[in-house]
Amino acid sequence: MNKSLLVKGMFVFLLCATITSVAVAELQSVSVGGELRIRGRWYINTFAPRTERIPPAFIQKRPVGGNRISSIFKWDDEGSDWARYETSVLLNFKADFTDNVSAFIEFYDWHIWGEDFRSRDYVTGVDTRANSNDDVEIEQAYIEVRELFGAPLTLRVGRQDLIMGKGWLVTNMLTPSQYSSHDAIRLTYKQGDWTVDAFASKLNDRFQIEQDGDVDFYGIYGTYAGWKPLTVSAYWYFLRDGLSPHDTTGNPIMEFAEDLLGRDDYGVTKLHTVGIRAFGKSSGFDYDLELAYQFGEADSLGATFKPIGMIYGDDDANWGDLGAELTVGYTFEDVKWSPRIYTLGVYFQGDDNRSISFWDWLNPFYEPEASHSFNRLFSDKNYLPTVNDNGWLSNYWQVQLGFELKPTDKIILHVHGAYDGIVSPFDPPKTFKVLGRKFYAAPLLSFWTDEGESDIGWEIAAWIRYNYSKDLWFLLYGNYLFVGDGLAQGAYIQGNGTDFSGGSDNNDAGYIFWMTVLKF
């Protein structure tokens, strides 16, 4: 039997059960809630308009993942710095019915100050109406049924937040001020110390392009919390992209030749993630270890690695990458201000295959190999804010040491230092310097490269949070990055290891932001 059809049939059955339950339930109460987030941000020596960093003539036949190498970073003190303010609003309504049935709808708006205002032309004074096409979205809209079939089962159907565990790979945030949700069906079993979540979400419906071209995301996440010093979770996520890319289309002779040569033979993309998490507290110590391994066919990724000047990408690309995070801390509970010291280590594997040998350069039938890195899925975990991580920094590792203090019950102080590195550096074209300026040595000889640097740099960060009440808090954050040669030279660490980080210099950079959050 077709497994996909079986899964879909099961979810249709559960959906029908939910609709039937709602039909017989009676409204008991309605509640209103929401949240307001406001944030101001300043980046120093960091951002610039996307700029070409390496001319195409020096990377011919190299599978760099595009026709040019460009970057949104500058790492220099030329020009202006980057700043903006932003606001997000959530407003939700919850209706509780009899028979353990409820419905929830939440509206969401995120905007940058000054981008969607009615009167912006101060020179002429002529008002124009605001563009409100992208203002208010539906963040969540679902029906929930508890005690399904008289068992400890909860079924949730509709658009909803998905937060698995601590949200290391699947959470409901894009950034600290932007939310994200899934159109999904979720079934939760909770009995005693056991909790198991199973879900299926639709990420992209391409019915107008290809019958089986959708992007779907499935997962099972189980947790056992029967012993306070040790809670254990295990999970499996499966992301399937049914669209089959093509390098060429429409020419029967070329298609026949491609079949003979085994080219342009992309299939369905299948990304599996299996992971475990162990965490707990005991005698002042706290720890949290999470390990995940990814494998599967990466055809949609491989199709992007067409060497410059060539037609075909890598139609045999596969993931095979490890991701890990470990935090160990100790709190001096009987000491004033409850100081806590901790160390953190994080690792996201990457494999940069963007260099070619002299023989590859000569070979007219050279087949490229895609570069792949650990895919952080739907995370907003931010280890390096000055490089604008927000859950998509990969091919990357960090070691961090820090401490926290609580001067009062409402104030938390945090300071840490960290060293950041590149797992698999990018080898740039050969260069030489004249009067301190860098010049590329040999156009077209793309096999001739310098050895890539792996140093992102050292950083110092600090923040203070003031919990004014249980519903209102304020945060001030600062980060200073001593930019290393690897970051300035450039490597593929952005966008899950698909985007370049290089700039025009290696000046130090920084990031400051403040935020206030009110829940109601």
Side-chain angles (χ1 to χ4, degrees), residues 440-492:
Y440 292 104
L444 304 181
L445 304 182
S446 55
F447 61 87
W448 193 11
T449 64
D450 287 322
E451 184 176 353
E453 301 285 349
S454 61
D455 176 27
I456 290 177
W458 291 89
E459 61 168 324
I460 300 173
W463 53 260
I464 179 171
R465 173 166 166 162
Y466 174 42
N467 297 313
Y468 179 83
S469 68
K470 67 177 182 179
D471 300 316
L472 175 64
W473 56 265
F474 303 89
L475 179 72
L476 177 63
Y477 173 93
N479 180 292
Y480 190 90
L481 176 63
F482 300 90
V483 173
D485 291 339
L487 184 61
Q489 172 186 273
Y492 283 85

Side-chain angles (χ1 to χ4, degrees), residues 35 97 101 107 168 184 223 234 265 327 343 349 354 372 385 397 420 423 427 453 456 460 497-498 508:
E35 179 186 272
F97 299 83
V101 176
F107 299 96
W168 191 57
T223 300
D265 187 23
T327 304
T343 183
Q349 186 177 353
R354 294 177 175 89
H372 54 86
W397 63 273
D420 302 273
V423 175
D427 294 334
E453 301 285 349
I456 290 177
I460 300 173
T498 64
D508 294 342

Side-chain angles (χ1 to χ4, degrees), residues 263-300:
R263 298 293 186 91
D264 198 11
D265 187 23
Y266 301 101
V268 172
T269 296
K270 300 176 182 178
L271 173 59
H272 298 267
T273 304
V274 291
I276 59 171
R277 181 188 177 205
F279 62 99
K281 296 180 179 180
S282 180
S283 302
F285 286 96
D286 63 88
Y287 65 94
D288 195 326
L289 170 65
E290 188 153 0
L291 294 170
Y293 181 73
Q294 293 182 330
F295 60 94
E297 296 88 347
D299 290 56
S300 291

Side-chain angles (χ1 to χ4, degrees), residues 155 213 438:
L155 176 66
K438 183 175 68 175

Side-chain angles (χ1 to χ4, degrees), residues 424-440:
S424 183
F426 170 74
D427 294 334
K430 184 65 180 178
T431 59
F432 61 91
K433 285 188 175 182
V434 176
L435 299 177
R437 293 180 61 90
K438 183 175 68 175
F439 295 90
Y440 292 104

